[in-house]
Amino acid sequence: MEDKANINEQRKEFNLLKRETSTLRNNLNTLNRDKEGAFRELRSMRDKVRSRMDQIKKLKEERDILTKEVKELKGTRDKLNKTVKEKSSVRREVDKKKQELLEKLDIKEDPSAIKSSIKKMEEMLEIEVMPFKKEEEIRKKIKELKSKYKKVTALGEVWKEVNTASADFSEQRNKAQESHKKLQDKADESQDKHKKINALYEEIRSLRKEEKPNADKYLKLKKDYTEAKKKLEESQKQLSELSGLFQDEEKKSIRSMVKEKTDEVKEKMKKGKKLSTKDILAFQAIKD
C-alpha cells in the first residue's frame, strides 16, 4: 500500500512536471522569438551605422582630393594675380608714356581715327560732285590731317606698346578670374562634402543613442532565454527520470504478475489439474 501511494504521488508530480515543462517550452519559444526580433533590430541599426561610416570614408577621400586641388589652385591663382599686378603696372607706365608724347605733340586724336578721316575725305573727292570751293576746303583739311598723321606716326611704337600691354593685362586678368572661379567652385564642393560628413556623423550619434536601449534589450532577452533554456533542460531531465522510474515499476509489476501466474500453472501441473488457455499463455511467458 505504501509503495502504491508513493507511485501515485510520483504520478501526480510527473503530470505537474509535464505541465510545467510545456509552459517552460512555450515561454522559451516566446523568448527566442523576441530575442531574434531584438537582434534583427540591433543588426539593422548597426548596418545603418556601418553604411554611414562607409559614406563618410568615401566623402573624406573625395574632400581630401578637393582640398589638395584647392591648395594647388591657390598657388596658381596667386601667381596669376602677381602677373596681373605686373601687367597692370606695365600698362600704366605705357599709358603715361603715351599721354606725355601726345601732350608734347599736342595731338589728342587716335592715329587710326586720323587715318580713317583721311580715307573718307579722299573717297568723297573721288565719288562726289561738289563746288570747287568746298573741294579746296576738303583738300586743305586732308593736307592738315596728313601732316598731323605724320607727327602721329611717331606714336606708332607707343600705340603698339599700349595695345600689347592692354592685351597682356586682359589675358592675364581673365586667366586669374577663371582660376579664382575654379578655385571657388572646388572650395564650395569641398565645403559641401564637409557638411555632408558632419550631417552623417550627427545621424550616427543619433543611431548610437537608439542602439544602446536596443542592445540592452537584446542582452536581457538573451540572458532570460539562457536561463529559461536551463530550466527547461532541468525539467526535461526530471521528467525523463520519473518516466524511467514508471517504466521500471511497470516492468516489475508485469514480471510479478507473470511469476504469480506461472507459479499457479506449475502448482496445477504438479497436481495434474487441467490448464486453461490463460494458464498456457502464462506458461509460454515463462519460456520467453
Side-chain angles (χ1 to χ4, degrees), residues 132-156:
F132 179 74
K133 187 176 180 182
K134 186 178 180 181
E135 184 179 335
E136 286 293 315
E137 288 175 359
I138 291 173
R139 290 185 185 281
K140 184 179 178 183
K141 183 65 175 175
I142 289 171
K143 187 176 180 181
E144 290 173 358
L145 287 173
K146 283 183 175 181
S147 175
K148 187 180 286 188
Y149 182 75
K150 189 176 180 180
K151 293 178 182 179
V152 170
T153 51
L155 289 169

Short mmCIF file of all heavy atoms in Angstrom, two decimals, residues 132-156:
data_model
loop_
_atom_site.label_atom_id
_atom_site.label_comp_id
_atom_site.label_asym_id
_atom_site.label_seq_id
_atom_site.Cartn_x
_atom_site.Cartn_y
_atom_site.Cartn_z
N PHE A 132 33.78 123.91 -106.36
CA PHE A 132 35.25 123.98 -106.31
C PHE A 132 35.74 124.46 -104.95
O PHE A 132 36.73 123.94 -104.42
CB PHE A 132 35.74 124.95 -107.41
CG PHE A 132 37.23 125.11 -107.42
CD1 PHE A 132 38.05 124.09 -107.92
CD2 PHE A 132 37.82 126.27 -106.89
CE1 PHE A 132 39.43 124.26 -107.90
CE2 PHE A 132 39.19 126.41 -106.88
CZ PHE A 132 39.99 125.39 -107.39
N LYS A 133 35.03 125.41 -104.38
CA LYS A 133 35.43 125.96 -103.09
C LYS A 133 35.42 124.88 -101.99
O LYS A 133 36.34 124.79 -101.18
CB LYS A 133 34.50 127.12 -102.72
CG LYS A 133 34.94 127.86 -101.47
CD LYS A 133 34.03 129.06 -101.22
CE LYS A 133 34.49 129.80 -99.97
NZ LYS A 133 33.60 130.93 -99.67
N LYS A 134 34.35 124.09 -102.00
CA LYS A 134 34.25 123.02 -100.99
C LYS A 134 35.33 121.97 -101.19
O LYS A 134 35.91 121.44 -100.24
CB LYS A 134 32.87 122.36 -101.08
CG LYS A 134 32.63 121.34 -99.97
CD LYS A 134 31.23 120.75 -100.06
CE LYS A 134 31.04 119.72 -98.93
NZ LYS A 134 29.71 119.09 -99.00
N GLU A 135 35.61 121.73 -102.49
CA GLU A 135 36.65 120.75 -102.81
C GLU A 135 38.00 121.21 -102.28
O GLU A 135 38.78 120.44 -101.73
CB GLU A 135 36.72 120.54 -104.32
CG GLU A 135 37.71 119.45 -104.72
CD GLU A 135 37.73 119.26 -106.24
OE1 GLU A 135 36.72 119.57 -106.89
OE2 GLU A 135 38.76 118.77 -106.73
N GLU A 136 38.25 122.53 -102.44
CA GLU A 136 39.50 123.10 -101.95
C GLU A 136 39.60 122.98 -100.43
O GLU A 136 40.67 122.69 -99.88
CB GLU A 136 39.60 124.58 -102.37
CG GLU A 136 39.92 124.81 -103.84
CD GLU A 136 41.32 124.34 -104.19
OE1 GLU A 136 42.26 124.63 -103.42
OE2 GLU A 136 41.46 123.63 -105.20
N GLU A 137 38.49 123.20 -99.78
CA GLU A 137 38.47 123.13 -98.30
C GLU A 137 38.78 121.69 -97.83
O GLU A 137 39.53 121.48 -96.87
CB GLU A 137 37.10 123.54 -97.77
CG GLU A 137 36.85 125.04 -97.90
CD GLU A 137 35.42 125.41 -97.48
OE1 GLU A 137 34.66 124.46 -97.11
OE2 GLU A 137 35.11 126.60 -97.47
N ILE A 138 38.20 120.73 -98.56
CA ILE A 138 38.42 119.32 -98.18
C ILE A 138 39.87 118.94 -98.42
O ILE A 138 40.49 118.27 -97.58
CB ILE A 138 37.49 118.39 -98.97
CG1 ILE A 138 36.04 118.60 -98.50
CG2 ILE A 138 37.89 116.93 -98.80
CD1 ILE A 138 35.01 117.86 -99.32
N ARG A 139 40.44 119.40 -99.56
CA ARG A 139 41.84 119.08 -99.86
C ARG A 139 42.75 119.69 -98.80
O ARG A 139 43.76 119.09 -98.41
CB ARG A 139 42.21 119.59 -101.25
CG ARG A 139 41.54 118.81 -102.36
CD ARG A 139 42.03 119.26 -103.74
NE ARG A 139 41.31 118.59 -104.81
CZ ARG A 139 41.56 117.36 -105.23
NH1 ARG A 139 42.52 116.65 -104.67
NH2 ARG A 139 40.83 116.84 -106.21
N LYS A 140 42.40 120.94 -98.39
CA LYS A 140 43.19 121.61 -97.36
C LYS A 140 43.13 120.82 -96.04
O LYS A 140 44.14 120.65 -95.35
CB LYS A 140 42.64 123.01 -97.16
CG LYS A 140 43.45 123.83 -96.16
CD LYS A 140 42.85 125.23 -96.03
CE LYS A 140 43.63 126.03 -94.99
NZ LYS A 140 43.03 127.37 -94.78
N LYS A 141 41.93 120.32 -95.74
CA LYS A 141 41.73 119.55 -94.50
C LYS A 141 42.52 118.23 -94.55
O LYS A 141 43.13 117.83 -93.56
CB LYS A 141 40.23 119.25 -94.32
CG LYS A 141 39.88 118.53 -93.04
CD LYS A 141 40.18 119.39 -91.83
CE LYS A 141 39.72 118.71 -90.55
NZ LYS A 141 40.10 119.46 -89.34
N ILE A 142 42.50 117.60 -95.74
CA ILE A 142 43.25 116.35 -95.92
C ILE A 142 44.74 116.59 -95.71
O ILE A 142 45.44 115.80 -95.06
CB ILE A 142 43.01 115.75 -97.32
CG1 ILE A 142 41.57 115.21 -97.40
CG2 ILE A 142 44.00 114.62 -97.61
CD1 ILE A 142 41.16 114.78 -98.79
N LYS A 143 45.23 117.74 -96.23
CA LYS A 143 46.64 118.08 -96.10
C LYS A 143 47.01 118.27 -94.63
O LYS A 143 48.07 117.81 -94.18
CB LYS A 143 46.92 119.37 -96.89
CG LYS A 143 48.39 119.74 -96.96
CD LYS A 143 48.58 120.97 -97.84
CE LYS A 143 50.06 121.34 -97.90
NZ LYS A 143 50.27 122.55 -98.73
N GLU A 144 46.15 118.95 -93.89
CA GLU A 144 46.39 119.17 -92.46
C GLU A 144 46.42 117.83 -91.69
O GLU A 144 47.26 117.62 -90.83
CB GLU A 144 45.30 120.07 -91.88
CG GLU A 144 45.39 121.51 -92.37
CD GLU A 144 44.19 122.34 -91.90
OE1 GLU A 144 43.29 121.74 -91.23
OE2 GLU A 144 44.16 123.54 -92.17
N LEU A 145 45.43 116.99 -92.04
CA LEU A 145 45.34 115.68 -91.36
C LEU A 145 46.56 114.80 -91.66
O LEU A 145 47.06 114.11 -90.78
CB LEU A 145 44.06 114.95 -91.77
CG LEU A 145 42.76 115.50 -91.19
CD1 LEU A 145 41.56 114.79 -91.81
CD2 LEU A 145 42.71 115.35 -89.68
N LYS A 146 47.03 114.87 -92.92
CA LYS A 146 48.22 114.09 -93.29
C LYS A 146 49.44 114.57 -92.53
O LYS A 146 50.29 113.77 -92.12
CB LYS A 146 48.45 114.16 -94.78
CG LYS A 146 47.51 113.27 -95.58
CD LYS A 146 47.84 113.31 -97.07
CE LYS A 146 46.96 112.32 -97.83
NZ LYS A 146 47.27 112.32 -99.28
N SER A 147 49.51 115.89 -92.36
CA SER A 147 50.62 116.46 -91.61
C SER A 147 50.56 116.01 -90.15
O SER A 147 51.58 115.64 -89.54
CB SER A 147 50.56 117.99 -91.69
OG SER A 147 51.56 118.56 -90.87
N LYS A 148 49.33 116.03 -89.63
CA LYS A 148 49.13 115.60 -88.23
C LYS A 148 49.44 114.10 -88.10
O LYS A 148 50.05 113.67 -87.13
CB LYS A 148 47.70 115.89 -87.81
CG LYS A 148 47.43 115.62 -86.34
CD LYS A 148 45.97 115.93 -85.98
CE LYS A 148 45.74 117.43 -85.93
NZ LYS A 148 44.38 117.74 -85.40
N TYR A 149 49.00 113.34 -89.13
CA TYR A 149 49.21 111.89 -89.08
C TYR A 149 50.70 111.55 -89.13
O TYR A 149 51.15 110.60 -88.48
CB TYR A 149 48.48 111.21 -90.25
CG TYR A 149 48.60 109.70 -90.23
CD1 TYR A 149 47.87 108.94 -89.31
CD2 TYR A 149 49.46 109.04 -91.11
CE1 TYR A 149 48.00 107.55 -89.27
CE2 TYR A 149 49.59 107.65 -91.07
CZ TYR A 149 48.85 106.91 -90.14
OH TYR A 149 48.99 105.54 -90.09
N LYS A 150 51.43 112.40 -89.88
CA LYS A 150 52.87 112.19 -89.98
C LYS A 150 53.53 112.33 -88.61
O LYS A 150 54.44 111.58 -88.26
CB LYS A 150 53.47 113.19 -90.97
CG LYS A 150 54.92 112.93 -91.30
CD LYS A 150 55.41 113.89 -92.37
CE LYS A 150 56.87 113.63 -92.72
NZ LYS A 150 57.38 114.55 -93.74
N LYS A 151 53.03 113.34 -87.87
CA LYS A 151 53.54 113.51 -86.50
C LYS A 151 53.12 112.32 -85.61
O LYS A 151 53.89 111.86 -84.77
CB LYS A 151 52.99 114.80 -85.89
CG LYS A 151 53.50 116.06 -86.56
CD LYS A 151 52.86 117.28 -85.91
CE LYS A 151 53.31 118.57 -86.59
NZ LYS A 151 52.66 119.74 -85.98
N VAL A 152 51.89 111.91 -85.85
CA VAL A 152 51.33 110.83 -85.01
C VAL A 152 52.07 109.51 -85.24
O VAL A 152 52.14 108.67 -84.35
CB VAL A 152 49.83 110.67 -85.29
CG1 VAL A 152 49.27 109.42 -84.62
CG2 VAL A 152 49.09 111.89 -84.78
N THR A 153 52.62 109.32 -86.46
CA THR A 153 53.32 108.05 -86.73
C THR A 153 54.46 107.83 -85.75
O THR A 153 54.89 106.69 -85.52
CB THR A 153 53.87 108.04 -88.17
OG1 THR A 153 54.63 109.23 -88.40
CG2 THR A 153 52.77 107.91 -89.17
N ALA A 154 54.94 108.95 -85.19
CA ALA A 154 55.98 108.84 -84.17
C ALA A 154 55.46 108.09 -82.94
O ALA A 154 56.23 107.54 -82.14
CB ALA A 154 56.49 110.23 -83.78
N LEU A 155 54.12 108.10 -82.84
CA LEU A 155 53.50 107.40 -81.71
C LEU A 155 53.24 105.91 -82.00
O LEU A 155 52.73 105.18 -81.15
CB LEU A 155 52.14 108.04 -81.38
CG LEU A 155 52.20 109.44 -80.73
CD1 LEU A 155 50.81 110.03 -80.72
CD2 LEU A 155 52.73 109.34 -79.32
N GLY A 156 53.60 105.50 -83.22
CA GLY A 156 53.29 104.12 -83.64
C GLY A 156 53.75 103.06 -82.66
O GLY A 156 52.99 102.18 -82.25
#
